Amino acid sequence: MSSPHILLTGDRLALGVPREDTLTEFHKWENDPATVLGRGDRFPRPEEDRTDDWERRRASRRHAPFEIVRVKDKLPVGLTALRLDTDAQTAEFTIVLAPAQRGKRYAEEATRLTLDWAFHLGALRTAWLKVLEPNRAAIAAFASAGFRPAGRLRKSGFWLGQRVDVLLMDALPEDFPGPSAMCTALGS
């Protein structure tokens, strides 16, 4: 595996440029049953779909992916992405963590680092996400990183075979909890 190209470093995690040689790992994480459940998907995706999706998104200026790398050993532990609406200066935020790396509060730090980039370098007006209401751990991590409740889509998701609400959360630059790793790195 190639060395990560680190873009922004936090306390325990860093954001890097996603590496093509980690696509197989990313694909495994996305097809883990807990990931499928948490994302509201219902079935695994073939690896060819992931590869095609990677190529399509890599060519798009409306997709900003980040590899989440553990600082101490440079191990990839997840992915975040911003799906940009450049006209409105907004983005949808998504995250996937490696199954073995869950429960370590990595989602909170990775989300905060991604929002730091989005607001302080990307100049976005807002970032938003969708999360299934039963996914309490994700909701808590997102709230700690600066996301706030913004609405609900009633009974529009599935959780263990049951219809559940999808919660909408958003974050504005003034919601960012700081301190900014981006501002520190750039000396301002």
Side-chain angles (χ1 to χ4, degrees), residues 62 83-91 122-128:
R62 294 187 179 265
R83 190 174 66 199
L84 304 167
D85 179 338
T86 53
D87 294 332
Q89 294 177 301
T90 65
L124 295 180
R125 293 184 313 116
T126 188
W128 63 275

Side-chain angles (χ1 to χ4, degrees), residues 34-166:
T35 304
V36 172
L37 174 66
R39 291 175 69 127
D41 294 336
R42 290 184 278 163
F43 299 100
R45 293 177 55 198
E47 190 163 3
E48 298 78 23
D49 284 0
R50 178 60 166 128
T51 304
D52 291 347
D53 190 43
W54 172 261
E55 291 302 324
R56 182 178 48 76
R57 288 182 180 193
R58 196 164 79 169
S60 172
R61 297 194 46 83
R62 294 187 179 265
H63 184 75
F66 298 96
E67 183 176 326
I68 308 165
V69 179
R70 195 165 51 199
V71 171
K72 71 178 179 181
D73 58 6
K74 306 297 187 244
L75 179 74
V77 297
L79 283 172
T80 63
L82 296 167
R83 190 174 66 199
L84 304 167
D85 179 338
T86 53
D87 294 332
Q89 294 177 301
T90 65
E92 179 182 11
F93 170 82
T94 58
I95 185 171
V96 174
L97 288 178
Q101 305 304 323
R102 295 180 187 144
K104 299 178 182 182
R105 299 183 58 100
Y106 286 165
E108 180 182 337
E109 185 174 357
T111 301
R112 188 175 35 78
L113 285 169
T114 306
L115 286 179
D116 196 353
W117 185 288
F119 295 143
H120 297 110
L121 195 61
L124 295 180
R125 293 184 313 116
T126 188
W128 63 275
L129 61 83
K130 296 183 289 187
V131 61
L132 296 172
E133 187 173 36
N135 195 346
R136 293 289 172 206
I139 294 166
F142 299 146
S144 293
F147 279 97
R148 303 289 173 255
R152 125 184 351 253
L153 302 171
R154 297 179 300 146
K155 305 293 184 200
S156 60
F158 287 94
W159 184 270
L160 298 175
Q162 302 296 313
R163 289 196 176 273
V164 297
D165 290 357
V166 173

